[in-house]
Amino acid sequence: MSFVKGLKCRECGRLFPKEPLYVCEYCFGPLELDYDYPLIKKKLNKEVIESRAKNLWRYKELLPVDGNPIVGLDSGFTPLVKAHNLAKRLGVKELYIKDDSVCHPTLSFKDRVVSVAITKAKEFGFDTVACASTGNLANSVSAQAAKAGMKCFVFIPSDLEAGKVIASLIYAPKVISVEGNYDEVNRLCTEIAAKYKWAFVNINIRPYYAEGSKTFAYEIAEQLGWKAPKHIISPAAGGSLITKIYKGLHELKKLDLINDVPTKIYAAQAKGCAPIVNAIKEGSEIIKPVKPDTIAKSLAIGNPADGYYAYKTVIESGGFADDATDEEIVEGIKLLASTEGIFTETAGGVTVAVTKKLIESGRIPKDESIVISITGNGLKTQEAVLGKAGNVFRIKPDIDSFEKTLY
Ligand SMILES: *Cc1c(COP(=O)(O)O)cnc(C)c1O
Ligand SMILES: [Zn+2]
C-alpha cells in the first residue's frame, strides 16, 4: 500500500503521475512527492513506529515506495550521541552528534537515499541503476545494486580520494572516472540519462531518492523523545539533505508526532565551494555557481541542484550559514575525534568547524539544544589528515627502547 498521491511541481503545483519524472514540463520546476497526510495520520503513531525494526523503513508510510523494501533493511537508525566533551569544549549546554558515519552498509547518509531510490527503481522495472557522485553516493549505489542484483554504473570526478574509489570498485559496478569536476560529471550523466533507460538515482528518480534524507530528521526527533531540537547544522553539497531535514520535521508536526518545530537550520560548506553559504550571507536568493577548490570533495558541487531551496529553508527557519577553510576542516575532524571518539570525513570536518564558528559568533546560543549532522566516515578521506594527525613512536621490541622513547 502506498500513501503517495503522485508528483507535484514545487513551483506551479501541477500534478504528475508516479513515474520516473523529475522536472515539470510546463515551468521546469523540480517535482516532489505528494502524500496523503490525513490517511498517513490514521495509520501512523508513535507506538506503531517504535514497535518496528530499527532501520529507516520504520517510517515507510512517509517514503515513496509501494511494495516491500528490497534494500536498506539494516540502514539508518544511527546513533544520536550526547556529546558531553565537545559541548564542554564549545561552551554549550546540550549538544548531540547524529552519527551517519556508521550508517549501514557504506558508512554515509547516502545509504538512506539509495535504499529508497533502488527499491523504487526496481518497482519501476529498471534493471540498471546509475549515479553522478562526489564519492559516497557511488559507494552506496554500488553496494546496494549488488545486494539488489541490478546492473550498476557510477560516474565520479577523476580526482577522488582512493578510499572512495576502492569503496565503489569492490562491489564490481562499472566505475567511470570522468576528467572533470562534479558539475561536469552531472552534466554528462543528464545527457546519458536522456538516452539510456537507466535509473539515475539522483537525476531521473531524484524526487524519490531525495525523500530518503527525511529519515535523518525523523530519527533525530524520535531519539530526542519525539521532540525537535532548537538548532541543526547540516553540510550542503547539492542542497537536498538540508531541505529534507526541515521538511521531515514539519511532516512529524503535521502528523502530531511532535508538538512544534522550533528548529533553526544552518548550512555548512567549504570555503572553496560555498555557493549556498555565499547566497545566505549575501541575503540573495540567486545561487552563483562556483568552481570548487577544497579538500571536502564530497561537498564539491559548484552548481547545486537544490541550492535555491536550501537557501529558502535556512532563511525560513531563521538559521544561518558559514564556511570552513581547508585548515579549519582538518581541525574540525581532529576536534570531533579527540573529544567524542568519532572519526568523520572532510564533510564532517566542515560541519564541526562551522558549528564552532556559529557558536563563537553568537549566532547559535549556548543554552539551547544543538544537533550536528555527521554524514560520512573518516576512513574514506585519509588523504585529508595524512601527516596531520600526530606521529607514531617507533621502537625496538624491548622494554628499554620503550622507556627511552616515552619517558
Ligand atoms: C552527499 C553528501 C552530503 C550532502 O548532500 P546534499 O543532499 O547533496 O546536500 C553531505 N555529506 C556527505 C558526506 C555527503 O556524501
Ligand atoms: Zn511547474
Side-chain angles (χ1 to χ4, degrees), residues 319-340:
F320 199 57
D322 215 332
D323 53 32
T325 64
D326 285 355
E327 293 76 54
E328 290 167 336
I329 293 168
V330 172
E331 286 311 308
I333 293 171
K334 289 165 71 174
L335 179 60
L336 183 65
S338 61
T339 54
E340 295 301 329

Side-chain angles (χ1 to χ4, degrees), residues 17 25 54 91 99 115 128 169 221 279 283 286 336 343 374:
E25 61 191 70
K54 289 194 161 68
D99 188 10
S115 298
T128 304
L169 280 173
I286 296 170
L336 183 65
F343 184 16
I374 293 300

